[in-house]
Amino acid sequence: MQCTFTSFFVLIVLCYGDVWNVQFNNNVEHCDACNDGDFLCTANKRGKWTAILVPNGFEEVALQDDPDFIPDSSLGGDQDGRVTVAGRALTFAHLLGHRVVSTPTGLGMMNTALTVQALIDHVEVSRILMYGIAGGIDAEINLGDVTIPERWAQYTLWSWQRVSAPLDCNQPDPVCEGPPTECQLPLECLSGHTRQYGPINLPGGLGRVWPQPIEIYRKPGQQELHWTFPVDPDLLQLARKVASTVTLEGCSPANGCLSKTPSIKITELGLTGDIFVDNAEWAAELFSFYERNNLRTSSVDMETAAAAIACFTNDVPFLAFRSVSDLAGGGDQSNEIDLFFGLASTNAFRVLKALVAGLPPENN
């Protein structure tokens, strides 16, 4: 198998029939000829693929059961077009005339980041789309609504301040001379822990936490600090265009109809943390914190920001759709997710499908 690599560095690699990957900044192996059964080499020779991510298998049902989702069994995998890469089950298929590769990420941010990086390392992806369910924390967001945030934030990177610290510690720049003050965070003077934004007040008298920026390395040795991560502007523009063409489901056969007809809402910010939020006090404080910092957030989930960060780092276009399955503890009854997760995931997929239909034709 003869292989060439595109990279910022000159690489000399020997390929002996296996799928080798030498990657930096989204570089995937390019092969002139593929060995029999070399699934990924064959897939990559056909061109770029639109990746579709879902957090869990039950959210993927809407995609897998859609009659327009046609697995590609000609690549050399099993009859359903599946192959396992880095422990992830990838399904290569066609959706409305577009090459797509789908996979569940698994629960939480770590699984999601690993899945995205494995995809980027091994598959020629043109863009990454994600859909799933979320908890709504904005009073103007209703059950069944599909939110399409313009930016994503990972909100659980904190410095947890001592409960005994004074309440008037809202000083962004520490005085790093002499002994630490009562307000200073650990490592604030040594490694850049900051009180630029905050604090977030924890429920139950547990004190306050100060969010920290995410460290990104897109170039060797060059650190960037980011608080939020934008989605791809072209994909967002397309989402705005197709939103009016989508009809959302408002009734569940088993659980009745929602009191308000679901709608699609382009929102300012979506939040992600490794916490399933079913606490009205915490959800309200999250919303209030970002509102105090001139950001209106719509929903909270456990995966999307990790995908946004990985795509941003690798310069891969990204957009996500999250449908509200519950109110993050703010409802009158028990958490609504058990009743409406199917309806919500179906609605999110419908919006994603409409966007795929609007993508430009592929070069075959």
Side-chain angles (χ1 to χ4, degrees), residues 111-353:
N111 275 324
T112 301
L114 290 171
T115 300
V116 172
Q117 195 61 55
L119 268 173
I120 292 172
D121 285 352
H122 293 283
V123 180
E124 286 275 12
V125 293
S126 55
R127 62 188 66 85
I128 293 180
L129 308 176
M130 189 173 196
Y131 79 92
I133 61 177
I137 63 173
D138 183 341
E140 296 184 3
I141 303 295
N142 303 308
L143 289 172
D145 285 354
V146 176
T147 64
I148 310 175
E150 298 171 335
R151 309 181 71 85
W152 287 90
Q154 194 274 80
Y155 73 90
T156 50
L157 183 62
W158 300 335
S159 181
W160 197 335
Q161 195 171 42
R162 291 191 180 193
V163 176
S164 60
L167 295 179
D168 57 346
C169 285
N170 299 343
Q171 302 294 327
D173 298 314
V175 178
C176 293
E177 297 178 1
T181 68
E182 289 183 297
C183 285
Q184 276 181 225
L185 303 174
L187 301 177
E188 189 166 353
C189 291
L190 294 177
S191 65
H193 284 202
T194 179
R195 285 176 282 132
Q196 182 176 352
Y197 296 108
I200 301 177
N201 299 302
L202 297 177
L206 294 176
R208 297 165 294 171
V209 295
W210 296 83
Q212 302 300 308
I214 306 298
E215 298 177 1
I216 298 297
Y217 296 87
R218 293 189 287 180
K219 296 181 180 180
Q222 296 186 24
Q223 182 192 81
E224 303 173 27
L225 299 178
H226 294 270
W227 294 93
T228 64
F229 295 85
V231 299
D232 181 74
D234 293 332
L235 290 173
L236 182 62
Q237 183 179 5
L238 179 57
R240 293 182 188 274
K241 180 180 178 181
V242 304
S244 62
T245 69
V246 182
T247 300
L248 300 181
E249 190 64 62
C251 296
S252 166
N255 299 301
C257 296
L258 298 170
S259 60
K260 296 182 179 180
T261 301
S263 62
I264 301 168
K265 295 176 179 175
I266 308 294
T267 63
E268 190 170 5
L269 184 68
L271 298 181
T272 297
D274 277 323
I275 304 168
F276 186 98
V277 179
D278 189 28
N279 183 295
E281 182 182 355
W282 176 237
E285 173 59 21
L286 279 179
F287 181 83
S288 175
F289 165 74
Y290 283 96
E291 190 173 47
R292 293 194 300 269
N293 289 283
N294 301 313
L295 288 169
R296 191 177 184 96
T297 185
S298 55
S299 63
V300 60
D301 67 64
M302 300 174 66
E303 294 85 18
T304 311
I309 293 168
C311 288
F312 182 84
T313 303
N314 287 277
D315 197 26
V316 174
F318 174 76
L319 188 67
F321 313 85
R322 286 285 187 162
S323 183
V324 174
S325 60
D326 63 275
L327 300 177
D332 296 330
Q333 307 295 326
S334 60
N335 192 284
E336 304 87 353
I337 190 171
D338 291 330
L339 299 177
F340 296 113
F341 74 84
L343 180 151
S345 59
T346 295
N347 281 348
F349 170 69
R350 286 184 181 179
V351 182
L352 179 141
K353 184 179 178 182

Side-chain angles (χ1 to χ4, degrees), residues 13-86:
V13 179
L14 300 178
C15 296
Y16 293 103
D18 293 329
V19 177
W20 283 59
N21 173 59
V22 177
Q23 191 269 346
F24 186 83
N25 281 7
N26 190 22
N27 303 305
V28 178
E29 173 186 46
H30 303 276
C31 301
D32 295 330
C34 299
N35 293 335
D36 291 341
D38 194 337
F39 189 107
L40 289 178
C41 179
T42 302
N44 289 331
K45 274 185 66 65
R46 292 190 181 177
K48 292 184 177 291
W49 298 75
T50 295
I52 299 176
L53 304 180
V54 293
N56 299 291
F58 69 81
E59 291 166 291
E60 193 180 24
V61 170
L63 171 67
Q64 296 282 350
D65 287 351
D66 191 277
D68 292 319
F69 182 78
I70 305 171
D72 189 340
S73 59
S74 68
L75 293 171
D78 65 22
Q79 62 181 357
D80 294 322
R82 292 194 180 97
V83 65
T84 299
V85 174

